[in-house]
Amino acid sequence: MRVTIAEVARRARVSKTTVSRVLNNKADVDAATAVRVREVIAATGYIPSAGAVGLARGVTRTVGMLVPGLTPPWLGELLQGAADVVESKGYGLLLSTAHRGAAALDEFSRRVSAKAFDGLLLVEPPDALRHLRVLHDSGLPVVLVGDRVRHPAFPSVGADNRQGGAAAARHLLGTGRTRLATVTGPRAAGCTADRLNGFNDAVRAAGLTLDPRLIIEGEWTSESGEAAIRQLLASGPAFDAVFAHDDLTAAGVLAALHATGRSVPGDVAVVGFDDIPLAAHTQPPLTTIRRPLRDMGAAAAQQLLARLGGAAPPEGPTILPTSLVVRGSTTVHDGH
Amino acid sequence: MRVTIAEVARRARVSKTTVSRVLNNKADVDAATAVRVREVIAATGYIPSAGAVGLARGVTRTVGMLVPGLTPPWLGELLQGAADVVESKGYGLLLSTAHRGAAALDEFSRRVSAKAFDGLLLVEPPDALRHLRVLHDSGLPVVLVGDRVRHPAFPSVGADNRQGGAAAARHLLGTGRTRLATVTGPRAAGCTADRLNGFNDAVRAAGLTLDPRLIIEGEWTSESGEAAIRQLLASGPAFDAVFAHDDLTAAGVLAALHATGRSVPGDVAVVGFDDIPLAAHTQPPLTTIRRPLRDMGAAAAQQLLARLGGAAPPEGPTILPTSLVVRGSTTVHDGH
DNA sequence: CTGAAAGCGCTTACAG
DNA sequence: CTGAAAGCGCTTACAG
């Protein structure tokens, strides 16, 4: 039999009101009374029912997190960052997946409507338009996380993709490369243009120009990286470096280069983006632009909790800096 | 203003009881009445408050999931498998991390006590003894998932590690290797002995014996794999194959072999365990024993939901078969 | 077939 | 400093 506040009150010979007061550290409770109540609480191991407290207070102390799926390699760090702050503030994290498509999203919408959580972290939300508007109208506090999708109506946290693209170009140029190829993300992704523009900026700043025939659209997969390189090798202009817009694509680039007998970084240098776990274990290890994924998750969670605490939403998007991680795919002196 | 059951009842000119009845598809509601109520529900977009329903029914329709952290590379698939079944049954998934140590576990224990969920999925639970016993006594339905920790008091889902170890040995022997080295997991992990025993079984069945000097204890990291190989190369007997007890360790093995000028699979063949995303992208790609992680997550979730539905817990642990995935680290004919 | 009432386990004015 | 009562939004015997 679960012990309830009524039971505690009875044993401490006070009213439920008083128990509630000491539970919530309200002032105006006689010291001796408070001690007695606390003793009973300790003795019985009483913990208030989350559901009952939630109903009475109109609040769940839970935040929802909608992710596109649980298998993207960059997701773990982001989730961990968010989980750490959410948990440390005593909130629960209710995880939902858009993985099963429309059915999953409908399920999810029901939970939103059922007030199953106080606020929402949206990671690269799919099918943005439709659901996002509904969310906004629902008044539920929402924070977007990620670089693919942005929406003016919501606060968001992402990485500095333009700066990252520029860093990639500068590093490549710095190692003496001049004919730079790029395998981008899908055009539809918000970060693709940023990474490309940053890259282009740095190239022009060095007095060079990008050959448009060396820019291939990828789709965040190693297969697309492989295909891009094979295509370039078969019928494109020569190149001595490749900037892939993510590490998975870069892994495909590496594989295609290896399969066709090119040496890395001897013949071609390769830079990726993200710094997922895999990046350190390719052969050679991958130089990459690191997205601060854990910090992104943490920042988003912090913003959301601040809003739940009554803070005003930040004006613009929050952009965290990326950093260059140099490994063997661009230089032989990587200290590995 | 959120619409409540009272509001629906008023508009449909019935009692809350009747609305509740049609909500829960009880029989004995006049067809016309039901239609009218449903119309109001549709028109208002009414969704019952999860918290209120939970309090009234004594049930949350949420399952908790405690993971050691969110960054292990094998976790994504497992989580996805669990999330798919949990979500498809209309349950929520409340994720907790043991990542921040004792403080996180205490937070977590509070949620257990607060009845924040109906059942619990425990992934490789840390600090098993103490918390597990408390959980068991609490009467909360629990299912364990993973291969490192097992506990007789709980139903569990894992992979067939012994069979996996045997498959690794048979494959290696089949490619003509005879001097087999092993980098195991930590001795404390339950699966380490199983993988080693299975490996040993198959070796003996082939009329050979394992050289104990070629068995090194690792710790599930690429660093430990690298160190093991360097040690073997420096002062151990010769070997022409390595079975690493997980893919991360195998990646370290590959790196050490490469750094010391050994060719894979020419000089040494390498087999890993798990088949994490990284395995397909090492150079050469890693032959490995695949754990059915997604199926494991799904099976555990299914068992848990079945118990919540009143089913009796299964007697023994549920053991899912592993499978051999052949790639370039053991054979040049990998079709890659 | 339908509704009034009690109850789930808390919190929060309101009185004293 | 303390308690009785109402209320959060549902469900569920119990009566009719």
Side-chain angles (χ1 to χ4, degrees):
Chain A
M1 197 53 229
R2 207 185 132 67
V3 20
T4 67
I5 196 175
E7 173 70 11
V8 173
R10 186 175 325 122
R11 297 207 194 187
R13 316 200 128 273
V14 295
S15 68
K16 295 187 296 173
T17 306
T18 294
V19 176
S20 178
R21 277 196 269 257
V22 350
L23 238 24
N24 299 291
N25 298 309
K26 307 269 187 200
D28 297 334
V29 177
D30 179 84
T33 309
V35 168
R36 185 154 35 95
V37 171
R38 270 187 247 280
E39 281 171 358
V40 175
I41 289 175
T44 56
Y46 169 69
I47 305 272
S49 150
V53 174
L55 183 57
R57 274 216 266 255
V59 138
T60 62
R61 286 231 125 207
T62 296
V63 315
M65 190 161 183
L66 181 65
V67 299
L70 263 359
T71 54
W74 44 265
L75 189 68
E77 286 287 332
L78 198 159
L79 266 180
Q80 185 74 67
D84 280 349
V85 349
V86 166
E87 288 175 2
S88 70
K89 301 291 186 192
Y91 275 73
L93 186 62
L94 197 53
L95 192 66
S96 290
T97 294
H99 173 245
R100 294 175 303 113
L105 287 178
D106 289 347
E107 250 307 304
F108 174 73
S109 299
R110 284 188 69 85
R111 292 201 169 260
V112 173
S113 311
K115 288 263 177 246
F117 35 75
D118 300 339
L120 187 56
L121 251 25
L122 241 36
V123 182
E124 309 287 14
D127 191 36
L129 309 316
R130 187 163 64 94
H131 289 283
L132 250 37
R133 178 131 291 290
V134 177
L135 274 180
H136 188 248
D137 296 344
S138 78
L140 187 77
V142 172
V143 175
L144 260 39
V145 207
D147 292 298
R148 301 188 192 165
V149 179
R150 196 129 307 172
H151 192 105
F154 299 102
S156 64
V157 175
D160 194 336
N161 294 292
R162 184 148 192 157
Q163 171 227 42
R170 275 194 299 267
H171 174 64
L172 255 10
L173 295 170
T175 63
R177 316 288 168 160
T178 55
R179 299 212 42 85
L180 313 184
T182 305
V183 186
T184 72
R187 282 192 220 301
C191 53
T192 293
D194 291 342
R195 290 175 193 177
L196 203 49
N197 288 334
F199 194 72
N200 197 24
D201 290 349
V203 168
R204 299 181 84 99
L208 302 175
T209 70
L210 243 33
D211 184 336
R213 293 167 304 167
L214 285 175
I215 301 177
I216 310 278
E217 180 176 5
E219 44 193 29
W220 308 132
T221 61
S222 63
E223 289 75 15
S224 71
E226 262 191 81
I229 294 308
R230 287 183 187 277
Q231 169 186 339
L232 243 30
L233 252 20
S235 60
F239 58 93
D240 58 10
V242 180
F243 171 40
H245 277 198
D246 80 333
D247 291 342
L248 238 31
T249 305
V253 168
L254 246 28
L257 254 14
H258 184 263
T260 56
R262 267 72 176 182
S263 92
V264 177
D267 298 326
V268 181
V270 179
V271 174
F273 212 108
D274 280 355
D275 197 24
I276 58 177
L278 183 154
H281 297 288
T282 57
Q283 189 50 248
L286 190 63
T287 291
T288 192
I289 305 299
R290 171 174 241 272
R291 280 201 295 167
L293 290 159
R294 190 177 292 226
D295 295 342
M296 287 163 59
Q302 249 141 18
Q303 272 185 27
L304 184 60
L305 294 186
R307 286 201 53 194
L308 297 187
E315 27 254 75
T318 302
I319 306 292
L320 270 32
T322 60
S323 56
L324 173 69
V325 178
V326 179
R327 297 200 183 93
S329 67
T330 56
T331 160
V332 292
H333 306 293
D334 68 340
H336 199 79
Chain B
M1 197 53 228
R2 208 184 132 67
V3 18
T4 67
I5 197 175
E7 173 69 11
V8 173
R10 186 174 327 121
R11 297 206 196 187
R13 316 203 129 270
V14 295
S15 68
K16 296 187 296 175
T17 306
T18 295
V19 175
S20 177
R21 277 196 269 258
V22 350
L23 238 25
N24 299 291
N25 298 308
K26 308 268 188 199
D28 297 333
V29 177
D30 179 84
T33 308
V35 168
R36 185 153 36 93
V37 172
R38 270 188 245 280
E39 280 169 358
V40 175
I41 289 175
T44 54
Y46 169 68
I47 305 270
S49 149
V53 174
L55 184 56
R57 276 216 266 254
V59 139
T60 62
R61 286 232 125 209
T62 296
V63 316
M65 189 160 182
L66 180 66
V67 299
L70 263 0
T71 54
W74 45 264
L75 189 68
E77 286 286 332
L78 197 160
L79 266 181
Q80 186 72 69
D84 281 349
V85 350
V86 166
E87 289 175 1
S88 70
K89 302 290 186 192
Y91 275 74
L93 187 63
L94 198 54
L95 193 65
S96 291
T97 293
H99 174 244
R100 294 174 305 112
L105 287 177
D106 288 346
E107 250 306 305
F108 175 72
S109 299
R110 285 189 68 85
R111 294 203 166 259
V112 173
S113 310
K115 288 263 175 246
F117 35 74
D118 300 341
L120 186 56
L121 252 23
L122 240 35
V123 181
E124 309 288 12
D127 191 35
L129 307 319
R130 187 166 62 97
H131 289 282
L132 249 39
R133 177 130 296 285
V134 176
L135 275 180
H136 188 249
D137 295 345
S138 79
L140 187 77
V142 172
V143 175
L144 260 40
V145 208
D147 291 299
R148 300 189 194 165
V149 180
R150 195 129 306 171
H151 192 107
F154 299 101
S156 65
V157 175
D160 193 335
N161 293 292
R162 186 149 192 155
Q163 170 226 41
R170 276 195 299 268
H171 174 63
L172 253 13
L173 296 170
T175 63
R177 316 287 166 160
T178 54
R179 300 213 41 86
L180 312 184
T182 304
V183 187
T184 72
R187 282 192 219 301
C191 52
T192 292
D194 290 343
R195 290 176 192 176
L196 202 50
N197 288 334
F199 194 72
N200 197 23
D201 289 349
V203 168
R204 300 180 85 97
L208 302 175
T209 71
L210 242 33
D211 184 336
R213 294 168 303 166
L214 286 174
I215 301 178
I216 311 278
E217 180 175 5
E219 45 192 30
W220 308 133
T221 63
S222 64
E223 288 76 15
S224 71
E226 262 191 83
I229 294 306
R230 287 184 189 276
Q231 169 187 340
L232 244 28
L233 251 20
S235 60
F239 58 93
D240 58 9
V242 180
F243 170 40
H245 277 198
D246 81 332
D247 290 343
L248 238 32
T249 303
V253 168
L254 246 26
L257 255 12
H258 184 262
T260 55
R262 267 71 176 184
S263 93
V264 177
D267 298 326
V268 181
V270 178
V271 174
F273 212 107
D274 279 356
D275 197 23
I276 59 177
L278 184 154
H281 297 289
T282 56
Q283 187 53 248
L286 190 63
T287 291
T288 192
I289 305 299
R290 171 174 242 272
R291 280 201 294 167
L293 290 159
R294 190 176 291 227
D295 294 343
M296 285 162 61
Q302 248 141 18
Q303 271 184 28
L304 184 61
L305 295 186
R307 283 201 56 194
L308 298 186
E315 26 255 77
T318 302
I319 306 293
L320 270 32
T322 60
S323 55
L324 173 70
V325 178
V326 179
R327 296 200 183 93
S329 68
T330 55
T331 160
V332 292
H333 308 292
D334 69 340
H336 200 77

